[in-house]
Amino acid sequence: DGGITQSPKYLFRKEGQNVTLSCEQNLNHDAMYWYRQDPGQGLRLIYYSQIVNDFQKGDIAEGYSVSREKKESFPLTVTSAQKNPTAFYLCASSIISSGANVLTFGAGSRLTVL
Amino acid sequence: AQTVTQSQPEMSVQEAETVTLSCTYDTSESDYYLFWYKQPPSRQMILVIRQEAYKQQNATENRFSVNFQKAAKSFSLKISDSQLGDAAMYFCAYRSYRDDKIIFGKGTRLHILP
């Protein structure tokens, strides 16, 4: 079945450590997105990519980095520079066309900094 | 920059009644897409309904319909015959036609009262 796989589902990290969240899709979607979800804050865009080897900053990119070396993969690294990394992270993808293309979401990754 | 505002953090409705969730947005673009997504307790995001800005006709999907007022930059969601399974967080989202950036509001938590 086609879909988006995020891993790990739960992740714990010590302060000062970098951590990478995986996002893989087999939908042949062009665009991929990373969002952060905090209570009362909705979904805030971290980074997005429309094509391989290219990506754009979202509204809260500081302290995060991404790569898009393959169409299927869009990993997110939470660096030690991110002041408050504990959150729920959602990855999503979409085709790009002239229509109102919807996002397909992964199940999310919960990151907790100890 | 575009913004999406959902002014109702929480709402409650009696089962079988009708409820309307509000969403306003700000943009300088003339072409864009609008969406409502639902996030149940499982946290899996689900598309509820979508609207292309160039279409004057309001979108409908079974018990869900929108009131799209382009000049007022308003995009409300009406849920008719509310059911217990409608209880969830509802997010309004805006997609730029120009660069595929997708941003979300802070969400409205909907409670269904039996």
Side-chain angles (χ1 to χ4, degrees):
Chain A
D1 289 337
I4 296 182
T5 301
Q6 288 187 241
S7 63
K9 189 171 183 179
Y10 299 97
L11 186 61
F12 298 88
R13 129 186 161 185
K14 294 181 180 178
E15 281 192 27
Q17 290 181 336
N18 292 354
V19 63
T20 297
L21 307 181
S22 171
C23 179
E24 303 278 334
Q25 54 100 359
N26 60 2
L27 300 166
N28 199 33
H29 283 177
D30 308 290
M32 296 188 74
Y33 301 78
W34 273 106
Y35 292 92
R36 170 179 171 143
Q37 185 175 15
D38 298 282
Q41 294 295 320
L43 276 67
R44 292 183 290 172
L45 181 63
I46 305 173
Y47 272 98
Y48 67 108
S49 168
Q50 297 166 286
I51 194 171
V52 173
N53 293 323
D54 190 33
F55 46 82
Q56 288 75 43
K57 291 182 178 180
D59 298 321
I60 57 164
E62 186 176 350
Y64 299 98
S65 66
V66 293
S67 63
R68 187 88 186 275
E69 297 177 359
K70 299 185 299 181
K71 188 176 185 179
E72 302 79 19
S73 178
F74 192 43
L76 174 73
T77 297
V78 185
T79 74
S80 57
Q82 169 51 232
K83 301 298 182 192
N84 185 20
T86 294
F88 186 67
Y89 292 87
L90 280 165
C91 180
S93 70
S94 171
I95 61 172
I96 295 178
S97 71
S98 59
N101 303 306
V102 303
L103 288 172
T104 299
F105 283 86
S109 294
R110 175 71 185 176
L111 172 63
T112 302
V113 174
L114 304 174
Chain B
Q2 301 93 359
T3 59
V4 176
T5 301
Q6 293 180 249
S7 58
Q8 305 150 315
E10 286 195 65
M11 293 190 72
S12 296
V13 63
Q14 209 74 34
E15 194 177 1
E17 296 296 311
T18 296
V19 63
T20 299
L21 309 183
S22 301
C23 173
T24 59
Y25 57 95
D26 190 27
T27 183
S28 59
E29 299 177 337
S30 58
D31 290 324
Y32 48 88
Y33 309 104
L34 297 166
F35 306 85
W36 279 96
Y37 285 88
K38 169 184 176 180
Q39 187 182 44
S42 67
R43 305 197 83 165
Q44 182 65 54
M45 297 284 283
I46 303 164
L47 175 72
V48 176
I49 199 165
R50 58 184 161 182
Q51 174 84 39
E52 291 95 330
Y54 65 86
K55 290 186 177 179
Q56 292 186 340
Q57 186 173 7
N58 290 324
T60 62
E61 287 286 344
N62 301 313
R63 297 183 295 107
F64 300 88
S65 61
V66 298
N67 183 3
F68 173 48
Q69 302 287 331
K70 190 172 184 179
K73 297 179 182 176
S74 172
F75 184 60
S76 61
L77 174 70
K78 185 172 82 171
I79 306 174
S80 304
D81 185 24
S82 298
Q83 300 175 359
L84 294 177
D86 295 332
M89 282 289 289
Y90 286 82
F91 293 100
C92 179
Y94 171 102
R95 180 174 188 146
S96 168
Y97 183 83
R98 178 176 53 85
D99 63 6
D100 293 304
K101 183 178 182 181
I102 303 174
I103 59 171
F104 287 77
K106 292 186 177 183
T108 296
R109 183 172 297 281
L110 180 64
H111 303 277
I112 309 295
L113 306 174

PDB file of all heavy atoms in Angstrom, chain B residues 20-48:
ATOM      1  N   THR B  20     -20.733  25.497  12.859  1.00  0.00           N
ATOM      2  CA  THR B  20     -19.886  26.182  11.874  1.00  0.00           C
ATOM      3  C   THR B  20     -18.579  26.604  12.511  1.00  0.00           C
ATOM      4  O   THR B  20     -18.573  27.276  13.549  1.00  0.00           O
ATOM      5  CB  THR B  20     -20.603  27.413  11.293  1.00  0.00           C
ATOM      6  OG1 THR B  20     -21.798  26.994  10.625  1.00  0.00           O
ATOM      7  CG2 THR B  20     -19.704  28.130  10.291  1.00  0.00           C
ATOM      8  N   LEU B  21     -17.491  26.212  11.891  1.00  0.00           N
ATOM      9  CA  LEU B  21     -16.154  26.574  12.349  1.00  0.00           C
ATOM     10  C   LEU B  21     -15.607  27.694  11.452  1.00  0.00           C
ATOM     11  O   LEU B  21     -15.712  27.613  10.226  1.00  0.00           O
ATOM     12  CB  LEU B  21     -15.204  25.368  12.286  1.00  0.00           C
ATOM     13  CG  LEU B  21     -15.689  24.075  12.953  1.00  0.00           C
ATOM     14  CD1 LEU B  21     -14.611  23.011  12.871  1.00  0.00           C
ATOM     15  CD2 LEU B  21     -16.109  24.323  14.376  1.00  0.00           C
ATOM     16  N   SER B  22     -15.010  28.678  12.067  1.00  0.00           N
ATOM     17  CA  SER B  22     -14.558  29.857  11.323  1.00  0.00           C
ATOM     18  C   SER B  22     -13.082  29.782  10.946  1.00  0.00           C
ATOM     19  O   SER B  22     -12.272  29.215  11.685  1.00  0.00           O
ATOM     20  CB  SER B  22     -14.796  31.120  12.156  1.00  0.00           C
ATOM     21  OG  SER B  22     -16.158  31.271  12.467  1.00  0.00           O
ATOM     22  N   CYS B  23     -12.783  30.400   9.825  1.00  0.00           N
ATOM     23  CA  CYS B  23     -11.397  30.501   9.367  1.00  0.00           C
ATOM     24  C   CYS B  23     -11.278  31.754   8.509  1.00  0.00           C
ATOM     25  O   CYS B  23     -12.085  31.979   7.608  1.00  0.00           O
ATOM     26  CB  CYS B  23     -10.991  29.279   8.558  1.00  0.00           C
ATOM     27  SG  CYS B  23      -9.355  29.402   7.767  1.00  0.00           S
ATOM     28  N   THR B  24     -10.312  32.572   8.807  1.00  0.00           N
ATOM     29  CA  THR B  24      -9.979  33.704   7.937  1.00  0.00           C
ATOM     30  C   THR B  24      -8.512  33.603   7.570  1.00  0.00           C
ATOM     31  O   THR B  24      -7.720  32.977   8.279  1.00  0.00           O
ATOM     32  CB  THR B  24     -10.254  35.057   8.620  1.00  0.00           C
ATOM     33  OG1 THR B  24      -9.482  35.131   9.820  1.00  0.00           O
ATOM     34  CG2 THR B  24     -11.725  35.216   8.947  1.00  0.00           C
ATOM     35  N   TYR B  25      -8.163  34.213   6.465  1.00  0.00           N
ATOM     36  CA  TYR B  25      -6.791  34.134   5.997  1.00  0.00           C
ATOM     37  C   TYR B  25      -6.394  35.469   5.392  1.00  0.00           C
ATOM     38  O   TYR B  25      -7.249  36.304   5.059  1.00  0.00           O
ATOM     39  CB  TYR B  25      -6.625  32.990   4.979  1.00  0.00           C
ATOM     40  CG  TYR B  25      -7.544  33.115   3.791  1.00  0.00           C
ATOM     41  CD1 TYR B  25      -7.112  33.721   2.614  1.00  0.00           C
ATOM     42  CD2 TYR B  25      -8.844  32.633   3.841  1.00  0.00           C
ATOM     43  CE1 TYR B  25      -7.961  33.850   1.534  1.00  0.00           C
ATOM     44  CE2 TYR B  25      -9.697  32.756   2.770  1.00  0.00           C
ATOM     45  CZ  TYR B  25      -9.249  33.363   1.616  1.00  0.00           C
ATOM     46  OH  TYR B  25     -10.088  33.503   0.539  1.00  0.00           O
ATOM     47  N   ASP B  26      -5.115  35.649   5.274  1.00  0.00           N
ATOM     48  CA  ASP B  26      -4.607  36.872   4.693  1.00  0.00           C
ATOM     49  C   ASP B  26      -3.597  36.509   3.615  1.00  0.00           C
ATOM     50  O   ASP B  26      -2.674  35.717   3.857  1.00  0.00           O
ATOM     51  CB  ASP B  26      -3.939  37.748   5.757  1.00  0.00           C
ATOM     52  CG  ASP B  26      -3.604  39.132   5.230  1.00  0.00           C
ATOM     53  OD1 ASP B  26      -4.296  39.592   4.295  1.00  0.00           O
ATOM     54  OD2 ASP B  26      -2.653  39.744   5.728  1.00  0.00           O
ATOM     55  N   THR B  27      -3.767  37.065   2.433  1.00  0.00           N
ATOM     56  CA  THR B  27      -2.871  36.796   1.331  1.00  0.00           C
ATOM     57  C   THR B  27      -2.976  37.916   0.309  1.00  0.00           C
ATOM     58  O   THR B  27      -4.009  38.579   0.206  1.00  0.00           O
ATOM     59  CB  THR B  27      -3.197  35.448   0.662  1.00  0.00           C
ATOM     60  OG1 THR B  27      -2.251  35.184  -0.368  1.00  0.00           O
ATOM     61  CG2 THR B  27      -4.598  35.445   0.072  1.00  0.00           C
ATOM     62  N   SER B  28      -1.929  38.095  -0.447  1.00  0.00           N
ATOM     63  CA  SER B  28      -1.939  39.046  -1.551  1.00  0.00           C
ATOM     64  C   SER B  28      -2.086  38.316  -2.887  1.00  0.00           C
ATOM     65  O   SER B  28      -2.157  38.955  -3.933  1.00  0.00           O
ATOM     66  CB  SER B  28      -0.656  39.873  -1.556  1.00  0.00           C
ATOM     67  OG  SER B  28       0.475  39.034  -1.675  1.00  0.00           O
ATOM     68  N   GLU B  29      -2.129  37.002  -2.828  1.00  0.00           N
ATOM     69  CA  GLU B  29      -2.254  36.201  -4.039  1.00  0.00           C
ATOM     70  C   GLU B  29      -3.711  36.104  -4.473  1.00  0.00           C
ATOM     71  O   GLU B  29      -4.624  36.210  -3.652  1.00  0.00           O
ATOM     72  CB  GLU B  29      -1.688  34.795  -3.802  1.00  0.00           C
ATOM     73  CG  GLU B  29      -0.205  34.797  -3.436  1.00  0.00           C
ATOM     74  CD  GLU B  29       0.323  33.413  -3.136  1.00  0.00           C
ATOM     75  OE1 GLU B  29      -0.467  32.522  -2.775  1.00  0.00           O
ATOM     76  OE2 GLU B  29       1.551  33.220  -3.265  1.00  0.00           O
ATOM     77  N   SER B  30      -3.919  35.887  -5.761  1.00  0.00           N
ATOM     78  CA  SER B  30      -5.284  35.749  -6.266  1.00  0.00           C
ATOM     79  C   SER B  30      -5.650  34.289  -6.516  1.00  0.00           C
ATOM     80  O   SER B  30      -6.831  33.934  -6.514  1.00  0.00           O
ATOM     81  CB  SER B  30      -5.453  36.543  -7.561  1.00  0.00           C
ATOM     82  OG  SER B  30      -4.515  36.101  -8.534  1.00  0.00           O
ATOM     83  N   ASP B  31      -4.624  33.455  -6.708  1.00  0.00           N
ATOM     84  CA  ASP B  31      -4.858  32.027  -6.924  1.00  0.00           C
ATOM     85  C   ASP B  31      -4.277  31.249  -5.756  1.00  0.00           C
ATOM     86  O   ASP B  31      -3.090  31.400  -5.426  1.00  0.00           O
ATOM     87  CB  ASP B  31      -4.205  31.562  -8.232  1.00  0.00           C
ATOM     88  CG  ASP B  31      -4.918  32.126  -9.440  1.00  0.00           C
ATOM     89  OD1 ASP B  31      -6.159  32.246  -9.393  1.00  0.00           O
ATOM     90  OD2 ASP B  31      -4.231  32.461 -10.415  1.00  0.00           O
ATOM     91  N   TYR B  32      -5.102  30.404  -5.174  1.00  0.00           N
ATOM     92  CA  TYR B  32      -4.656  29.601  -4.036  1.00  0.00           C
ATOM     93  C   TYR B  32      -5.703  28.528  -3.774  1.00  0.00           C
ATOM     94  O   TYR B  32      -6.739  28.470  -4.458  1.00  0.00           O
ATOM     95  CB  TYR B  32      -4.451  30.472  -2.783  1.00  0.00           C
ATOM     96  CG  TYR B  32      -5.600  31.418  -2.484  1.00  0.00           C
ATOM     97  CD1 TYR B  32      -6.682  30.996  -1.708  1.00  0.00           C
ATOM     98  CD2 TYR B  32      -5.610  32.718  -2.970  1.00  0.00           C
ATOM     99  CE1 TYR B  32      -7.733  31.851  -1.446  1.00  0.00           C
ATOM    100  CE2 TYR B  32      -6.659  33.571  -2.708  1.00  0.00           C
ATOM    101  CZ  TYR B  32      -7.716  33.139  -1.944  1.00  0.00           C
ATOM    102  OH  TYR B  32      -8.760  33.984  -1.687  1.00  0.00           O
ATOM    103  N   TYR B  33      -5.406  27.669  -2.821  1.00  0.00           N
ATOM    104  CA  TYR B  33      -6.322  26.594  -2.450  1.00  0.00           C
ATOM    105  C   TYR B  33      -6.546  26.655  -0.940  1.00  0.00           C
ATOM    106  O   TYR B  33      -5.643  27.008  -0.181  1.00  0.00           O
ATOM    107  CB  TYR B  33      -5.750  25.236  -2.827  1.00  0.00           C
ATOM    108  CG  TYR B  33      -5.281  25.146  -4.264  1.00  0.00           C
ATOM    109  CD1 TYR B  33      -3.920  25.176  -4.575  1.00  0.00           C
ATOM    110  CD2 TYR B  33      -6.183  25.021  -5.306  1.00  0.00           C
ATOM    111  CE1 TYR B  33      -3.482  25.099  -5.880  1.00  0.00           C
ATOM    112  CE2 TYR B  33      -5.754  24.944  -6.624  1.00  0.00           C
ATOM    113  CZ  TYR B  33      -4.402  24.978  -6.904  1.00  0.00           C
ATOM    114  OH  TYR B  33      -3.961  24.908  -8.208  1.00  0.00           O
ATOM    115  N   LEU B  34      -7.709  26.244  -0.532  1.00  0.00           N
ATOM    116  CA  LEU B  34      -8.047  26.213   0.890  1.00  0.00           C
ATOM    117  C   LEU B  34      -8.531  24.817   1.256  1.00  0.00           C
ATOM    118  O   LEU B  34      -9.172  24.133   0.443  1.00  0.00           O
ATOM    119  CB  LEU B  34      -9.125  27.245   1.208  1.00  0.00           C
ATOM    120  CG  LEU B  34      -8.731  28.697   0.957  1.00  0.00           C
ATOM    121  CD1 LEU B  34      -9.959  29.588   0.964  1.00  0.00           C
ATOM    122  CD2 LEU B  34      -7.714  29.172   1.995  1.00  0.00           C
ATOM    123  N   PHE B  35      -8.235  24.413   2.468  1.00  0.00           N
ATOM    124  CA  PHE B  35      -8.567  23.063   2.929  1.00  0.00           C
ATOM    125  C   PHE B  35      -9.037  23.103   4.385  1.00  0.00           C
ATOM    126  O   PHE B  35      -8.661  23.984   5.149  1.00  0.00           O
ATOM    127  CB  PHE B  35      -7.334  22.148   2.875  1.00  0.00           C
ATOM    128  CG  PHE B  35      -6.641  22.081   1.541  1.00  0.00           C
ATOM    129  CD1 PHE B  35      -5.701  23.037   1.197  1.00  0.00           C
ATOM    130  CD2 PHE B  35      -6.921  21.067   0.657  1.00  0.00           C
ATOM    131  CE1 PHE B  35      -5.044  22.986  -0.026  1.00  0.00           C
ATOM    132  CE2 PHE B  35      -6.264  21.001  -0.565  1.00  0.00           C
ATOM    133  CZ  PHE B  35      -5.331  21.963  -0.900  1.00  0.00           C
ATOM    134  N   TRP B  36      -9.823  22.104   4.715  1.00  0.00           N
ATOM    135  CA  TRP B  36     -10.082  21.769   6.103  1.00  0.00           C
ATOM    136  C   TRP B  36      -9.596  20.336   6.320  1.00  0.00           C
ATOM    137  O   TRP B  36      -9.954  19.430   5.562  1.00  0.00           O
ATOM    138  CB  TRP B  36     -11.568  21.851   6.438  1.00  0.00           C
ATOM    139  CG  TRP B  36     -12.040  23.241   6.701  1.00  0.00           C
ATOM    140  CD1 TRP B  36     -12.643  24.099   5.831  1.00  0.00           C
ATOM    141  CD2 TRP B  36     -11.951  23.956   7.946  1.00  0.00           C
ATOM    142  NE1 TRP B  36     -12.933  25.287   6.453  1.00  0.00           N
ATOM    143  CE2 TRP B  36     -12.523  25.226   7.745  1.00  0.00           C
ATOM    144  CE3 TRP B  36     -11.450  23.626   9.210  1.00  0.00           C
ATOM    145  CZ2 TRP B  36     -12.602  26.177   8.771  1.00  0.00           C
ATOM    146  CZ3 TRP B  36     -11.533  24.562  10.218  1.00  0.00           C
ATOM    147  CH2 TRP B  36     -12.099  25.828   9.998  1.00  0.00           C
ATOM    148  N   TYR B  37      -8.774  20.178   7.366  1.00  0.00           N
ATOM    149  CA  TYR B  37      -8.303  18.863   7.766  1.00  0.00           C
ATOM    150  C   TYR B  37      -8.818  18.565   9.166  1.00  0.00           C
ATOM    151  O   TYR B  37      -9.003  19.461   9.990  1.00  0.00           O
ATOM    152  CB  TYR B  37      -6.764  18.806   7.782  1.00  0.00           C
ATOM    153  CG  TYR B  37      -6.123  18.730   6.424  1.00  0.00           C
ATOM    154  CD1 TYR B  37      -5.820  19.881   5.721  1.00  0.00           C
ATOM    155  CD2 TYR B  37      -5.820  17.506   5.845  1.00  0.00           C
ATOM    156  CE1 TYR B  37      -5.218  19.820   4.469  1.00  0.00           C
ATOM    157  CE2 TYR B  37      -5.225  17.433   4.590  1.00  0.00           C
ATOM    158  CZ  TYR B  37      -4.927  18.593   3.912  1.00  0.00           C
ATOM    159  OH  TYR B  37      -4.342  18.527   2.674  1.00  0.00           O
ATOM    160  N   LYS B  38      -8.989  17.289   9.414  1.00  0.00           N
ATOM    161  CA  LYS B  38      -9.465  16.803  10.710  1.00  0.00           C
ATOM    162  C   LYS B  38      -8.366  15.963  11.340  1.00  0.00           C
ATOM    163  O   LYS B  38      -7.719  15.164  10.657  1.00  0.00           O
ATOM    164  CB  LYS B  38     -10.714  15.956  10.479  1.00  0.00           C
ATOM    165  CG  LYS B  38     -11.206  15.146  11.654  1.00  0.00           C
ATOM    166  CD  LYS B  38     -12.399  14.287  11.212  1.00  0.00           C
ATOM    167  CE  LYS B  38     -12.876  13.392  12.328  1.00  0.00           C
ATOM    168  NZ  LYS B  38     -14.030  12.555  11.905  1.00  0.00           N
ATOM    169  N   GLN B  39      -8.155  16.163  12.650  1.00  0.00           N
ATOM    170  CA  GLN B  39      -7.190  15.348  13.375  1.00  0.00           C
ATOM    171  C   GLN B  39      -7.889  14.721  14.580  1.00  0.00           C
ATOM    172  O   GLN B  39      -8.067  15.354  15.613  1.00  0.00           O
ATOM    173  CB  GLN B  39      -5.987  16.170  13.825  1.00  0.00           C
ATOM    174  CG  GLN B  39      -4.868  15.314  14.431  1.00  0.00           C
ATOM    175  CD  GLN B  39      -3.682  16.132  14.924  1.00  0.00           C
ATOM    176  OE1 GLN B  39      -3.864  17.159  15.566  1.00  0.00           O
ATOM    177  NE2 GLN B  39      -2.463  15.682  14.614  1.00  0.00           N
ATOM    178  N   PRO B  40      -8.280  13.452  14.465  1.00  0.00           N
ATOM    179  CA  PRO B  40      -8.920  12.755  15.595  1.00  0.00           C
ATOM    180  C   PRO B  40      -7.892  12.430  16.670  1.00  0.00           C
ATOM    181  O   PRO B  40      -6.713  12.726  16.501  1.00  0.00           O
ATOM    182  CB  PRO B  40      -9.478  11.489  14.930  1.00  0.00           C
ATOM    183  CG  PRO B  40      -8.611  11.266  13.737  1.00  0.00           C
ATOM    184  CD  PRO B  40      -8.163  12.624  13.274  1.00  0.00           C
ATOM    185  N   PRO B  41      -8.324  11.829  17.761  1.00  0.00           N
ATOM    186  CA  PRO B  41      -7.376  11.488  18.841  1.00  0.00           C
ATOM    187  C   PRO B  41      -6.202  10.628  18.390  1.00  0.00           C
ATOM    188  O   PRO B  41      -5.145  10.657  19.004  1.00  0.00           O
ATOM    189  CB  PRO B  41      -8.264  10.751  19.845  1.00  0.00           C
ATOM    190  CG  PRO B  41      -9.616  11.354  19.641  1.00  0.00           C
ATOM    191  CD  PRO B  41      -9.717  11.605  18.154  1.00  0.00           C
ATOM    192  N   SER B  42      -6.355   9.876  17.327  1.00  0.00           N
ATOM    193  CA  SER B  42      -5.235   9.071  16.805  1.00  0.00           C
ATOM    194  C   SER B  42      -4.114   9.949  16.249  1.00  0.00           C
ATOM    195  O   SER B  42      -3.005   9.469  15.997  1.00  0.00           O
ATOM    196  CB  SER B  42      -5.726   8.145  15.696  1.00  0.00           C
ATOM    197  OG  SER B  42      -6.126   8.917  14.557  1.00  0.00           O
ATOM    198  N   ARG B  43      -4.417  11.221  16.013  1.00  0.00           N
ATOM    199  CA  ARG B  43      -3.482  12.231  15.471  1.00  0.00           C
ATOM    200  C   ARG B  43      -3.200  12.047  13.985  1.00  0.00           C
ATOM    201  O   ARG B  43      -2.342  12.720  13.439  1.00  0.00           O
ATOM    202  CB  ARG B  43      -2.170  12.280  16.266  1.00  0.00           C
ATOM    203  CG  ARG B  43      -2.377  12.512  17.747  1.00  0.00           C
ATOM    204  CD  ARG B  43      -1.143  12.964  18.456  1.00  0.00           C
ATOM    205  NE  ARG B  43      -0.946  14.403  18.322  1.00  0.00           N
ATOM    206  CZ  ARG B  43      -0.109  15.117  19.071  1.00  0.00           C
ATOM    207  NH1 ARG B  43       0.617  14.522  19.993  1.00  0.00           N
ATOM    208  NH2 ARG B  43       0.048  16.404  18.872  1.00  0.00           N
ATOM    209  N   GLN B  44      -3.891  11.136  13.331  1.00  0.00           N
ATOM    210  CA  GLN B  44      -3.734  10.976  11.885  1.00  0.00           C
ATOM    211  C   GLN B  44      -4.556  12.042  11.172  1.00  0.00           C
ATOM    212  O   GLN B  44      -5.763  12.094  11.314  1.00  0.00           O
ATOM    213  CB  GLN B  44      -4.189   9.577  11.448  1.00  0.00           C
ATOM    214  CG  GLN B  44      -4.023   9.315   9.971  1.00  0.00           C
ATOM    215  CD  GLN B  44      -2.554   9.313   9.549  1.00  0.00           C
ATOM    216  OE1 GLN B  44      -1.731   8.597  10.103  1.00  0.00           O
ATOM    217  NE2 GLN B  44      -2.237  10.120   8.542  1.00  0.00           N
ATOM    218  N   MET B  45      -3.915  12.879  10.392  1.00  0.00           N
ATOM    219  CA  MET B  45      -4.586  13.965   9.698  1.00  0.00           C
ATOM    220  C   MET B  45      -5.401  13.424   8.529  1.00  0.00           C
ATOM    221  O   MET B  45      -4.908  12.613   7.735  1.00  0.00           O
ATOM    222  CB  MET B  45      -3.559  14.971   9.193  1.00  0.00           C
ATOM    223  CG  MET B  45      -2.779  15.657  10.290  1.00  0.00           C
ATOM    224  SD  MET B  45      -3.725  16.918  11.122  1.00  0.00           S
ATOM    225  CE  MET B  45      -3.658  18.222   9.909  1.00  0.00           C
ATOM    226  N   ILE B  46      -6.622  13.926   8.388  1.00  0.00           N
ATOM    227  CA  ILE B  46      -7.531  13.469   7.352  1.00  0.00           C
ATOM    228  C   ILE B  46      -8.114  14.685   6.646  1.00  0.00           C
ATOM    229  O   ILE B  46      -8.562  15.628   7.289  1.00  0.00           O
ATOM    230  CB  ILE B  46      -8.689  12.655   7.967  1.00  0.00           C
ATOM    231  CG1 ILE B  46      -8.142  11.474   8.784  1.00  0.00           C
ATOM    232  CG2 ILE B  46      -9.647  12.165   6.887  1.00  0.00           C
ATOM    233  CD1 ILE B  46      -9.177  10.865   9.707  1.00  0.00           C
ATOM    234  N   LEU B  47      -8.127  14.659   5.321  1.00  0.00           N
ATOM    235  CA  LEU B  47      -8.748  15.743   4.568  1.00  0.00           C
ATOM    236  C   LEU B  47     -10.257  15.696   4.744  1.00  0.00           C
ATOM    237  O   LEU B  47     -10.879  14.640   4.621  1.00  0.00           O
ATOM    238  CB  LEU B  47      -8.406  15.619   3.088  1.00  0.00           C
ATOM    239  CG  LEU B  47      -9.105  16.626   2.185  1.00  0.00           C
ATOM    240  CD1 LEU B  47      -8.508  18.018   2.378  1.00  0.00           C
ATOM    241  CD2 LEU B  47      -9.028  16.210   0.727  1.00  0.00           C
ATOM    242  N   VAL B  48     -10.848  16.849   5.007  1.00  0.00           N
ATOM    243  CA  VAL B  48     -12.303  16.948   5.105  1.00  0.00           C
ATOM    244  C   VAL B  48     -12.877  17.498   3.801  1.00  0.00           C
ATOM    245  O   VAL B  48     -13.805  16.919   3.218  1.00  0.00           O
ATOM    246  CB  VAL B  48     -12.714  17.867   6.281  1.00  0.00           C
ATOM    247  CG1 VAL B  48     -14.227  18.050   6.311  1.00  0.00           C
ATOM    248  CG2 VAL B  48     -12.220  17.283   7.604  1.00  0.00           C
TER     249      VAL B  48
END
